[in-house]
Amino acid sequence: MHYPWWYVPFLTSPMLIAIISVLHVLVAHYAVGGGLFLAVETQYAYRYNHREYLAYLKEHAWFFILITVVYGAITGVGIWWTIGVASPLATQTLIHIFVFGWAMEYVFFVLEIVSAFIFYYFWGRLDPKTHVRIGWIYAGSAWMSLVLITGITAFMLNSGQWPEERTFWAGFLNPQFVPQVFARTGGAFLLASLYVYLHATFKAKDPALRDLIAARSARPALLGALLIILGGIGWYLALPESAKAALIAASTLNILVVLIFAVTIAVFFMLYLGPYRNPGWLSPGFAILFFTFGLVAITTGEYIREAVRKPYIIYNVVLGNQVYAEKVPELRRTGYLEGGTWTKAWVAHHYPQVLNNDRIDPAQLLALPEEDQVKLGEVLFLYHCNDCHAGRRGFSAVAQLIRGWTPDMVRTVVEHPEKAHFFMPPWAGTPEEAELLTKYLLRIAHPRPAGMYFGEEK
Amino acid sequence: MDPTTLIGPSSPLGYPAPYWFLITFKVLGFTLHMVPMHIWYAGVLLAMLLQWRGGEVGRQLSRRLMRPMPILIALGINFGIVPLLFTQVAYYKVFYPATILMAWPWVSIIVLLTLAYYGVYIYVAGLRTEGATIARWRQAVGWVTAAFFLLIGFFFSNAFSLMTNVRAWPDLWLRKSIGGAPLGTALNTEDPTLWPRWLMMFSLALTTTAVFIIVDAEWFAPQERPNYRAAARRAALMISTIGVIGFATTGSWYVFGTWPAELRESMFRGPLRALTGLTAISPGIPWLLILWQWRKGGTRARAVATAVAQVLVLAFNAISRQIVQNAELGQFLDVTVEPVRLQWSPLILFLLLFAIGLGVVAWMLRRLKAIRTSESG
C-alpha cells in the first residue's frame, strides 16, 4: 500500500508473476540438473574414452547453453522485473532481508556463466581433467544458486522464527528450507533426464549410444523422483496450519495434489520400466510424453506452492494485498485510504473536502454523493482486492463470485473476508470504507443467472 | 499535487548495510555492467552497418564484432544484477513507483531482450554456417535485434530518469490510471533530461565498442590478414571520434540545457568540479590512445592501456551519475539517512564468496591462457 497498484485488466498483475515464474522454473531446474548431468557424463565419457558419447555431450552442451543461459537467465531476471511492479511491498521486504543472499547468488551466477561458456567453447582444447573440473564448477555453482534462492522462496511460505528474531539466518534457515532443497534438487535431476531424453532421441542416431544415454540418465531421474517425494513429504509437514488447511479445503488444490502425485508416480514407473530396465524403448514419442509429464508435474507443483501461501505473500509478514500483517489493526482504526500513500494522495486530490487536519475523515466519505462513493469503492477494490480478483471479468472476477448476493451478504464478506474464507486477508479499513467497497461491488455484480429451478413451495 | 506525498514511508527493516557500502557496489556493478552492455548496445548496430556498407574489411570487422556477442550479452545481463539489486535496496521508495507507472514498457524489456538475445544467436549461427555471405533473413534478424537493443536502452533511460523526476509522477499517474491504479503505460518522454541521457549513453557505448575493436584486434585476431589490424584501428578511431563528439554534444545538452542552475552549481563547485571535469574530458583519453595507435601502430600493451582508460571513463561516469542522481532526488528525499540494521555475517559471507568467486574465475582464465600459450607454441 506504499506503492501504486498496477492495474492489469482481466488477468490481474500478480498473475504475470505466476506466468513468468512457471516459464522460468521449467528451465531453471534443468540448468541445475543439466549441469550435473554434463559434469558426471563428461567425466564418464573421458574415463572410458567414449568418443561418440563425448560428441553427443558436446552437442547437448550447446542445446543446454541455448536453453539455460539465454532463456533461463532472462526469465530469471524477468521474475525480478515483474515482482517489483506487481508485488512491490513484498519485494521491498524480501530485498531488505535477503539482499546478501541474492548477492551471493550473483557470485554463483557469474561462475555459472563463465564456466558454461568455457566448458562448451573450449571443448577439445582443454585437457580432460581441466574440462571436467570446469564442468563441476558449473554444476556446483548452479546447485548453490538453487540452494540460495530456495532459502528465500521457502521463507515466503513459512517465515519460521523471523517475525520474532528478524535476522537473515532466522529467515533463511526456515522450516521449509531443507524440504524444498530436497524437492528442488530432485526436480533438477528428474527434469534434466527428461530434457536429455528429449534431446537424445532426436540427436543421437546410434541406437547403442541412445541406449547408453537412456540407461545412464535413468538413475539420477529415479533418484530425483525419490527426492521429490521425500522433499514433498517434508514440505507438507513443515507447512503452516493455514497452508495445510488451504491444501485440503480448496477443491482445485485437491485435484492438483492428486494430479502431481499421479504424474510423479507414473513418471517413476515409466522410468523404471522404460529407460532403466529397457533402454531400447526410448523413442521420440516416449520422450515427448515423459517430458510433458515432467512439465505438468513441475508446473502443478509450483502452482500449489504459490497457492497455499494465501492469504500471505510472506507468511505472517506481508499479506496478499500488499499490507504488512502487523499494520491491519492500525488500518482498521485509521482507514485504508488514509494508510496508503497513493490512495491518500488520490483522495486528497479528488475529494479534498473529506480531509480534516490533513487526515481522511471516514465519516465524511459517506457524505459524498453516491457516484463518488462508488468511485472510492473502486479505488478500495483495486488496492485492497485486485491482487487476487479481477473486477467484472477475468481471473477470479469478483463480479462473478458475488452473483445474486444480497447487499447484506456482500457487506458481511467485505467486513470479514478472513472469516468467510480463512485464505483471504482480513479487511484492513474502517466500517465506512467497507460500505464504499460494498456499494462498488454491488454496482458491478452480475445478477443471479436466470432460469434456475429449485422446486416450488406447496 | 505535492509529488512528495507520493513517496512512501521508510522500510521498518532499514538498510542491511551502510549506505556507502550499498552505493559502492551499485557504482562498481554499474561500471562492470556497462562494459559488455555498451558493446552489444552500440556494437550490434555497428556490426549491421558494417555488414551492409562496410566493404570486405568492414564485413570482417562486423563478423568479429558479432561472434563474441552471445558471451558478452550473458555477462552483461549478469553484471546488471548487482546494480539493480542495490538500487532496489537503497532507492526502493522511488524505483518501484517509477517502474510501476511505466510497467508495460518496463516488463516488455524482458520480452525484447529474450528476442534480441536469440536474434544474436541466429545471426551468429549464420556466421558459422554461411560465412561472409550471410542470408538476407538473418540480416533482417540482425537489424531487428539492433533496434530492440536501442528500444531497451530507451526504456531503461525512461525508468531511471523517471525515478528522479518525481515531479512528473502526479500528472503521469492521474492521466493514465483507473480508480487510482496506474495502467502502467506512462513514459517519461516529457522530461527534458531523457533524450540527452539516452543519446549520451549511446555515444559512450560507441566509444566502448571502439575500444573493444582495438583490444580484439591486438589480442584475439592473430589469424586475420595483416591489413586487418590497421583497418580495425582506423574503424575504431572513426567510431570513437563519432562517440566522443556525440558524448560532448549530448553531455553539454544534458548539463547546460536540462540541469537546474543549483545542480549545475553544485557539480561545478569544490571537489566535485574535478570529478565533473574528469567525467567530461576523460573519453578524450582513450580516443587519444586510439589515435596514437592508428598513427604509430598497435601493440597488446597499448590496447590494454586503452581498455583501462575506457573503464576509468565509465567509472567516472557512473560516479558522477550517482552524485547527480542523489542531488536530483535531494529535493524529495535523502536516501543516505535511512536507518541501518547491519547484517554482519551475511555481508562477510558475501564478501568471502565474492573473493573466492574472483579467484575461481581467475583460475579458469589462467587455464585458457595456458591453452593459448601451448597452441601458439
Side-chain angles (χ1 to χ4, degrees), chain A residues 9 53 84 131 243 253 308 379 450:
Chain A
Y53 197 19
H131 193 208
L253 296 183
V308 297
V379 175

Side-chain angles (χ1 to χ4, degrees), chain B residues 290-303:
Chain B
I290 294 172
L291 177 69
W292 177 45
Q293 288 166 87
W294 175 64
R295 296 185 65 162
K296 302 286 180 190
T299 64
R300 287 186 161 194
R302 288 172 190 175

Side-chain angles (χ1 to χ4, degrees), chain A residues 167-181:
Chain A
T167 64
F168 175 95
W169 295 112
F172 191 81
L173 301 172
N174 58 77
Q176 280 283 330
F177 173 60
V178 173
Q180 286 203 24
V181 167

Side-chain angles (χ1 to χ4, degrees), chain B residues 94-115:
Chain B
V94 286
F95 175 80
Y96 294 125
T99 49
I100 290 167
L101 288 172
M102 53 168 289
W104 283 114
W106 181 246
V107 168
S108 76
I109 287 174
I110 297 304
V111 180
L112 291 170
L113 187 58
T114 309
L115 294 174

